[in-house]
Amino acid sequence: MSDRGFGQNSNKPLQLRERGIAMLQAKPIRILSVEDHPVFREGLATVIGSQEDMLLVAQASNAVEAVAEFRRHRPDITLMDLRLPGTDGTDTVIAIRGEFPQARIIMLTTSDCDGAIQRAMRGGASAYILKSMPKNELLAVIRSVHAGRRHIPPEVAARLAEYMGDDDLTKRELEVLRLIRDGYRNKQIADQLSISETTVNFHIKNLVDKLQANDRTHAVTIALRRGLLQI
């Protein structure tokens, strides 16, 4: 056997291995888009469709459709709008990841409220980005999350850092705050939650202190601005 022939044969396994790696790399990132606004949904479809390494496998406009489409297609990446009709995006993330813990979901929203960001990231989102982000940056985030990284853009991280170290409101404090928002007086709140009025006063004092508010009404205003409460 000539040296030349031996060299050619010995390279075949390497060439096959390199070809296999290339085929794996060429496999597109399969994406599910969850967005209730038709125009923005169409825009995302166009952006994704223009990329050779991405494939839009399904679209959904609400939480029920999102969970169903995820089960059906098992996408590599899900782009999730925060504000959906009915169940919101973060609760949808929690539902999907409860069933599929390895799901990689990117929150795509107009909200930079620290409360919404924290809740989404704690719920299992891999990234939290704003809809105002340039197209090329969005595509870069999709590729980064697909590679196993988490991502929060600088402007969102800055908003998060602004309240870093603040005490979180407890579940009960949030319940009290929602009732204050809805116009309930302290005694009515006590009746609604089946607790004493003294306990209600205790919760209000705590939540006012945590939010650095002047009073209960100011606390609601701050909570709405930070996304801890919705109107």
Side-chain angles (χ1 to χ4, degrees):
M1 182 181 291
S2 68
D3 289 341
R4 181 180 178 184
F6 179 80
Q8 287 176 337
N9 289 336
S10 65
N11 282 337
K12 281 185 179 180
L14 178 60
Q15 291 168 350
L16 289 172
R17 189 160 61 248
E18 288 176 344
R19 189 178 305 163
I21 292 172
M23 287 176 66
L24 285 173
Q25 290 175 337
K27 186 179 179 182
I29 302 170
R30 301 171 66 256
I31 298 171
L32 163 63
S33 171
V34 184
E35 166 63 51
D36 70 322
H37 196 289
V39 173
F40 196 81
R41 188 166 62 239
E42 185 176 335
L44 279 175
T46 300
V47 169
I48 294 168
S50 68
Q51 303 301 302
E52 292 184 358
D53 63 337
M54 297 182 189
L55 176 65
L56 184 64
V57 295
Q59 298 183 75
S61 60
N62 58 53
V64 174
E65 291 178 3
V67 174
E69 293 299 330
F70 194 98
R71 287 174 181 153
R72 184 175 297 117
H73 296 280
R74 309 290 176 89
D76 301 312
I77 295 292
T78 299
L79 298 176
M80 180 74 68
D81 188 12
L82 179 66
R83 294 193 173 103
L84 295 172
T87 304
D88 71 15
T90 298
D91 285 335
T92 309
V93 169
I94 293 170
I96 290 174
R97 283 182 53 86
E99 194 171 337
F100 304 96
Q102 302 307 313
R104 291 175 179 171
I105 304 175
I106 298 172
M107 303 302 294
L108 189 57
T109 178
T110 57
S111 174
D112 64 350
C113 299
D114 72 294
I117 301 165
Q118 290 185 42
R119 187 164 177 266
M121 299 306 287
R122 286 172 180 166
S126 298
Y128 190 104
I129 58 179
L130 302 178
K131 289 183 176 180
S132 56
M133 172 178 279
K135 178 184 75 173
N136 289 341
E137 291 183 26
L138 167 63
L139 295 171
V141 171
I142 291 174
R143 294 183 180 107
S144 176
V145 171
H146 182 247
R149 292 184 283 273
R150 289 164 68 86
H151 180 86
I152 300 180
E155 64 272 24
V156 173
R159 174 56 68 101
L160 206 53
E162 185 179 347
Y163 299 101
M164 197 67 74
D166 287 1
D167 291 332
D168 291 336
L169 297 183
T170 66
K171 181 180 178 181
R172 179 64 88 189
E173 287 164 354
L174 281 171
E175 288 174 341
V176 170
L177 199 55
R178 289 190 191 101
L179 290 170
I180 295 172
R181 174 202 61 191
D182 294 341
Y184 287 82
R185 297 183 178 279
N186 290 13
K187 187 177 187 314
Q188 293 171 314
I189 293 173
D191 293 340
Q192 285 287 320
L193 299 179
S194 299
I195 56 179
S196 71
E197 192 170 350
T198 302
T199 302
V200 171
N201 292 333
F202 173 78
H203 288 311
I204 291 176
K205 181 183 182 304
N206 283 345
L207 66 89
V208 165
D209 288 344
K210 288 180 180 180
L211 294 174
Q212 299 180 18
N214 298 327
D215 52 37
R216 68 205 298 273
T217 304
H218 188 211
V220 170
T221 302
I222 292 171
L224 288 170
R225 176 169 52 82
R226 289 181 53 183
L228 302 173
L229 284 182
Q230 282 73 47
I231 296 175

